[in-house]
Amino acid sequence: LIEANPALIPALQKERSGDVILNRCIAPKSGDVIPFHVMNVDGLSTPEDVTELLANHPDLKLLETVNVETVSVNDLFAQMHAVPVFVNMEILRSIDFTKYRPLVLILEMIPYSKKLPVGQKNPEILAFLQEKGYVEYAFTGINSIFIDAAQVK
């Protein structure tokens, strides 16, 4: 497991004692140390600039900013000596799909909102994954589940 928020790691260690848990942030390049913004809503913590998010949503709070080492998706896959069956990440463009083909990708497809933003799926992600040979299997209202079409056959 890769978890950038160090405050979440003890609970992960307790619940998933058989897993290796790394306090890292997925990024295009490994080995950098970057600021990671921990929000009061776990799913919104990010290395990205949170200024606009905070300005548009007064209920959100920045709890702290911590420095986290980065790891690239391709370096992570190489260290694992295998491609995981499930991957949940937003940094699609950095994956070498000719070398690593996860069977399933689960991606957040809608922007943050207090109301469900119906019909606002990210068209760039849809087009990119179709180009890479993935099909959308299901949509949960927040996440889309994509499957490698070649492996399903």
Side-chain angles (χ1 to χ4, degrees), residues 90 92 107-109 122-130 146:
E90 295 179 2
L92 292 173
L107 299 158
E108 291 180 11
M109 294 295 289
N122 186 321
E124 184 180 357
I125 292 174
L126 288 169
F128 180 79
L129 287 176
Q130 286 173 348
F146 297 91

Side-chain angles (χ1 to χ4, degrees), residues 40-147:
N40 64 325
V41 176
D42 289 335
L44 296 179
S45 296
T46 180
E48 305 296 323
D49 182 15
V50 294
T51 306
E52 187 175 325
L53 186 64
L54 291 169
N56 293 331
H57 303 282
D59 55 315
L60 296 179
K61 304 287 182 242
L62 174 63
L63 299 178
E64 67 177 322
T65 299
V66 295
N67 289 326
V68 179
E69 185 178 339
T70 62
V71 62
S72 77
V73 173
N74 295 317
D75 286 347
L76 181 63
F77 289 172
Q79 290 170 19
M80 293 170 52
H81 303 292
V83 177
V85 175
F86 285 92
V87 176
N88 183 345
M89 65 190 74
E90 295 179 2
I91 305 180
L92 292 173
R93 294 201 185 281
S94 65
I95 297 175
D96 181 351
F97 283 97
T98 61
K99 208 172 179 182
Y100 306 109
R101 296 228 26 117
L103 175 62
V104 177
L105 293 160
I106 304 171
L107 299 158
E108 291 180 11
M109 294 295 289
I110 60 173
Y112 173 74
S113 175
K114 284 187 172 184
K115 296 179 181 176
L116 186 60
V118 176
Q120 294 186 29
K121 281 188 201 176
N122 186 321
E124 184 180 357
I125 292 174
L126 288 169
F128 180 79
L129 287 176
Q130 286 173 348
E131 175 187 310
K132 296 298 180 188
Y134 284 82
V135 294
E136 186 177 22
Y137 172 76
F139 180 63
T140 69
I142 295 174
N143 298 318
S144 282
I145 301 168
F146 297 91
I147 299 176

